[in-house]
Amino acid sequence: MKQTQKTILALITLSSIVASAEPYSAQQGLDKIKINVETAKANKVDYEKNLGVINTNMTEIGKAKGQAQKQKDTVNTEILNNNEALKKVVLQEKELQALITAEENKRVEEDKQLKELAALTTKISENQKKREQLIADYKRQMEMVAEEKKSWKGRESELRAQEGKAIESLRGLASQEVAWNTKKKSYEGEVKKWSAEVDKQEKISETYQGLKENK
């Protein structure tokens, strides 16, 4: 933001004009007072413009903070949903593994029965085929679940990265807000000071003009 500063001329008060060793003419005194008034007014206008820019910047920062917060909230919601989906997949994986283990145990037991019970060979052989098919199906499902699990884990990493960016953005915006607030207070003080100076110089001008007219 471009800032404008003006050199402030020495102010002439009514008492200093009267007490001067080299008296000013009435017109000279008025001319100097007018210069002081115009200088004060110009400074007031400059600081008011700068204050307007500050207020605009702070409004934009507020909007950016709102957007960053909304993005963070969205990411947090997605993380929660992602975690819930991951829990379901892990549970399904455990269930399938238990089914596979159970079927494998049954197959082992039936291998023993084949040796012990020749009469049941046909029936057990059919069961073995079914068991193999079930195991194959479960293993295919396991492969699919493993891929899905990998996908959800990858998604979680992406969401965490997005969350980190949103948090970093919020931190930067908070820092900017503090800086702009500090500048705002400074320029508000300057506007107040120069407003008072304008009033002061205008009163001096009116007083001096009255003295000139009374002569």
Side-chain angles (χ1 to χ4, degrees):
M1 181 177 63
K2 184 177 180 182
Q3 299 182 4
T4 304
Q5 293 185 337
K6 294 181 178 294
T7 302
I8 303 173
L9 300 178
L11 302 178
I12 301 174
T13 64
L14 184 59
S15 60
S16 66
I17 295 173
V18 174
S20 175
E22 295 182 6
Y24 291 98
S25 68
Q27 187 58 47
Q28 287 177 325
L30 284 174
D31 289 343
K32 288 186 177 294
I33 290 171
K34 287 180 180 179
I35 291 173
N36 287 340
V37 170
E38 292 302 319
T39 300
K41 287 181 177 179
N43 284 333
K44 177 176 178 289
V45 169
D46 287 337
Y47 282 110
E48 285 176 339
K49 288 180 180 178
N50 289 336
L51 180 59
V53 173
I54 288 175
N55 288 331
T56 298
N57 288 340
M58 290 190 69
T59 298
E60 292 302 318
I61 288 175
K63 292 179 181 178
K65 281 182 66 180
Q67 293 175 353
Q69 185 62 52
K70 183 178 179 181
Q71 181 182 7
K72 181 179 178 297
D73 293 341
T74 299
V75 171
N76 287 338
T77 299
E78 292 184 12
I79 289 174
L80 291 175
N81 293 337
N82 183 82
N83 290 339
E84 287 300 319
L86 182 59
K87 288 178 182 178
K88 292 179 181 179
V89 170
V90 171
L91 180 60
Q92 185 179 6
E93 182 182 40
K94 290 180 179 180
E95 292 174 349
L96 288 171
Q97 184 60 56
L99 289 171
I100 290 173
T101 300
E103 293 301 324
E104 287 178 342
N105 291 337
K106 290 177 181 179
R107 184 178 61 179
V108 171
E109 182 64 26
E110 289 170 351
D111 283 338
K112 293 178 181 179
Q113 292 177 4
L114 280 173
K115 295 176 181 179
E116 296 173 355
L117 304 171
L120 298 175
T121 299
T122 303
K123 183 178 180 180
I124 293 175
S125 295
E126 292 176 353
N127 287 341
Q128 284 283 286
K129 292 178 181 179
K130 292 179 181 179
R131 303 297 182 194
E132 290 294 342
Q133 183 61 48
L134 286 171
I135 290 172
D137 289 342
Y138 291 145
K139 285 185 176 180
R140 281 195 293 270
Q141 292 181 49
M142 276 285 289
E143 292 175 357
M144 294 173 62
V145 168
E147 287 298 320
E148 188 176 356
K149 178 181 177 182
K150 182 180 178 181
S151 175
W152 283 117
K153 284 187 174 180
R155 177 63 174 162
E156 181 182 15
S157 298
E158 293 176 3
L159 292 172
R160 291 294 183 187
Q162 292 178 26
E163 181 185 34
K165 290 180 180 179
I167 291 172
E168 187 65 26
S169 177
L170 285 172
R171 287 176 180 169
L173 291 169
S175 177
Q176 292 181 38
E177 184 178 33
V178 170
W180 283 114
N181 265 321
T182 300
K183 289 185 179 181
K184 178 181 178 182
K185 290 179 181 179
S186 174
Y187 281 104
E188 285 176 341
E190 290 295 332
V191 169
K192 183 178 180 180
K193 181 182 77 175
W194 286 110
S195 294
E197 187 62 33
V198 168
D199 292 340
K200 177 182 175 182
Q201 294 301 322
E202 287 178 343
K203 288 180 180 178
I204 292 174
S205 177
E206 291 174 0
T207 302
Y208 198 86
Q209 183 65 37
L211 289 176
K212 179 181 177 183
E213 292 174 354
N214 291 333
K215 288 184 177 181

